[in-house]
Amino acid sequence: MSTHHESGHRLAGAALLTVMLAAATPVAAQLGNASPAALGMGDNYTALARGLNAPFWNPAGLGMPDNPSFSIAILPLRAGASLSPIGTSDLARYQDKFIPVSVREDWLNQITAAGGEKGEFDTDVTLLAMSVSHLAFQLSTTMHGRVNMAPAFADLFFFGNAGRTGVPQNYTLQGSTVDAAATTTAGVSLGLPLTLTLGPLPDQHFAVGATLKYTIGNVFVTAMDAGSQITSDPLAVDLTFPVLETDTTIDGFPNNGTGVGLDVGAAWSAGIFKAGAVIHNLVNTFKWNIQKLYYRQGTVVANTDTTITNFDAIDYQQAPDSLKNRVNDLFTFKPVLTVAGAAQVLPYLEVTADIQHQLGNSLQLGPRNHVGVGAELTILPVLPVRAGVTLLSGGQMYSGGLGLNLGPVGLNLAAAYRDTNLGSGTIAAFALQVGL
């Protein structure tokens, strides 16, 4: 390992982003979010979801009178990524450029104060989403990842093993973690209208609904540093980064775990008002198949004389309890409770709000708590404009979106900026859908 080599001075922002995300976790309802309109309104959509959007948000929407008789989406996509405390915008300013020492020092101070450089990504690919009357079906794959790299990684990357002072130092990588997972879920939803009057408001409608889900666990990896050290006198590397992962040698569609889940919801409307409540994962039996999990010790011991590595795949049962517990804590599905309301405050303006809480850690990259408001402006019905502001656990999200409605065909785009203690970055979504 060189000391303060020149490549540590000319840093490519894109390289750091690649390192962070390629190394990269913890899916709320398992099904992908097929609605850019929802993202445009800050993911505050539980009271409004109808048609093909109901399986993800609230199946009871399928039983409401404004539910479309038919709707289908053509490969809706949603993806996001973030880095913190040094974000993608910081890196972009110096892509393929020399980064001054003062800037690197400031970045390193921020990373140290935050306990590491954190990154996350999430992608929802909805292969099919459609509804017919009170029934809906959705098939989607979700991919999520999260990484936390200890400050020592940044110090080494920015300044080499000699550090900022030019004097060789010792480093510890304790606290570094990597988690990533991908699952595929098929869901069937049913919404049924019921006769129920709540209070004196006229023109009331009420419905209940349920979504039955079947999830296949495609892949996951979880790893955490177990006391890695890099010493300078004598020069030596002692890396211990144990890994648990699914079988990666399977041909065809990867199936490394299965389970069923049940979401239940209710929806209500009266005049200008709408409301909804849903419990995602009221029941969920998903488990990874431990017969298809492998443990790698992930050790590298190197000095001036020898180098010894061990990344061989061995039986899951030999993994440390810390990694096994991490699978149980993070890579399962926990219940998520949501209540929501909406109002048509003007003929061309609808406002909505969601409050959400997740019960425990989960295979969900989203926040434990969510409180937000969104709005849709339809001064021109052919061109709806959407916006939302949402408070999340450890931060907030600001969203916006546009639609283009040409008769039964709708094109929707949305983007959001999310800033939490897990990172700051953007989310984007797109969908072309048909509804009658």
Side-chain angles (χ1 to χ4, degrees):
M1 181 176 294
S2 64
T3 60
H4 215 74
H5 49 73
E6 181 62 25
S7 62
H9 293 262
R10 182 175 290 276
L11 303 175
L16 180 56
L17 178 62
T18 301
V19 169
M20 293 297 300
L21 294 183
T25 206
V27 274
Q30 296 155 270
L31 290 169
N33 183 353
S35 174
L39 178 63
M41 300 170 76
D43 280 342
N44 303 298
Y45 209 62
T46 301
L48 303 179
R50 304 289 189 264
L52 64 88
N53 296 315
F56 180 89
W57 290 99
N58 184 2
L62 294 165
M64 299 300 286
D66 56 344
N67 184 63
S69 59
F70 172 80
S71 64
I72 186 169
I74 301 173
L75 199 65
L77 300 174
R78 171 172 167 146
S82 62
L83 287 173
S84 180
I86 307 306
T88 54
S89 59
D90 297 313
L91 300 173
R93 289 199 297 269
Y94 292 98
Q95 186 169 354
D96 299 325
K97 297 180 181 179
F98 176 83
I99 303 179
V101 172
S102 60
V103 173
R104 283 181 272 148
E105 288 181 339
D106 178 59
W107 286 0
L108 182 56
N109 289 336
Q110 292 184 51
I111 292 171
T112 301
E117 175 73 1
K118 302 174 177 66
E120 63 179 353
F121 72 88
D122 54 291
T123 302
D124 293 341
V125 180
T126 300
L127 305 174
L128 176 63
M130 65 178 297
S131 71
V132 179
S133 186
H134 299 319
L135 285 169
F137 174 79
Q138 184 172 336
L139 175 65
S140 59
T141 294
T142 60
M143 296 163 281
H144 305 271
R146 183 177 297 159
V147 59
N148 180 30
M149 307 303 287
F153 275 106
D155 201 341
L156 286 166
F157 193 84
F158 290 154
F159 296 101
N161 71 307
R164 289 172 281 184
T165 64
V167 178
Q169 301 180 53
N170 300 329
Y171 297 88
T172 178
L173 308 183
Q174 191 73 35
S176 300
T177 58
V178 175
D179 303 284
T183 59
T184 297
T185 299
V188 178
S189 300
L190 173 65
L192 294 176
L194 298 178
T195 301
L196 179 65
T197 301
L198 302 174
L201 292 176
D203 190 29
Q204 291 197 32
H205 301 275
F206 183 79
V208 295
T211 298
L212 182 64
K213 303 174 291 189
Y214 180 74
T215 297
I216 296 175
N218 304 132
V219 296
F220 90 79
V221 59
T222 182
M224 57 190 305
D225 184 81
S228 299
Q229 293 186 358
I230 299 174
T231 60
S232 297
D233 189 16
L235 181 61
V237 176
D238 184 357
L239 299 182
T240 305
F241 214 90
V243 178
L244 266 181
E245 64 180 17
T246 50
D247 187 356
T248 58
T249 62
I250 299 176
D251 294 329
F253 187 77
N255 182 347
N256 292 299
T258 58
V260 296
L262 177 66
D263 305 340
V264 296
W268 171 87
S269 68
I272 67 170
F273 300 105
K274 296 176 182 177
V278 62
I279 304 176
H280 293 290
N281 299 316
L282 176 65
V283 176
N284 200 296
T285 67
F286 176 82
K287 290 184 179 179
W288 295 94
N289 185 348
I290 63 173
Q291 303 301 320
K292 296 183 178 181
L293 303 186
Y294 293 91
Y295 167 57
R296 299 180 189 273
Q297 292 184 352
T299 58
V300 177
V301 178
N303 53 41
T304 55
D305 299 320
T306 61
T307 299
I308 302 173
T309 63
N310 186 349
F311 285 89
D312 295 338
I314 57 179
D315 187 76
Y316 161 85
Q317 299 298 342
Q318 299 186 47
D321 289 341
S322 58
L323 274 185
K324 293 179 182 177
N325 292 337
R326 194 170 182 83
V327 174
N328 294 331
D329 290 342
L330 290 181
F331 291 85
T332 56
F333 297 96
K334 304 296 193 304
V336 180
L337 312 178
T338 306
V339 294
Q344 190 79 41
V345 296
L346 294 171
Y348 49 82
L349 178 62
E350 189 165 34
V351 178
T352 184
D354 276 33
I355 300 175
Q356 183 181 101
H357 176 66
Q358 180 176 281
L359 302 180
N361 294 321
S362 153
L363 190 65
Q364 162 59 27
L365 190 59
R368 290 284 299 274
N369 296 299
H370 168 123
V371 178
V373 295
E376 182 178 65
L377 188 67
T378 54
I379 295 176
L380 296 176
V382 71
L383 192 68
V385 179
R386 306 176 179 106
V389 177
T390 305
L391 299 179
L392 307 172
S393 300
Q396 57 279 321
M397 181 171 73
Y398 307 99
S399 307
L402 290 172
L404 179 62
N405 297 327
L406 302 175
V409 179
L411 172 64
N412 291 288
L413 305 169
Y417 175 76
R418 180 177 57 194
D419 184 12
T420 72
N421 53 11
L422 297 174
S424 59
T426 57
I427 309 169
F430 162 85
L432 177 65
Q433 56 192 65
V434 177
L436 299 174

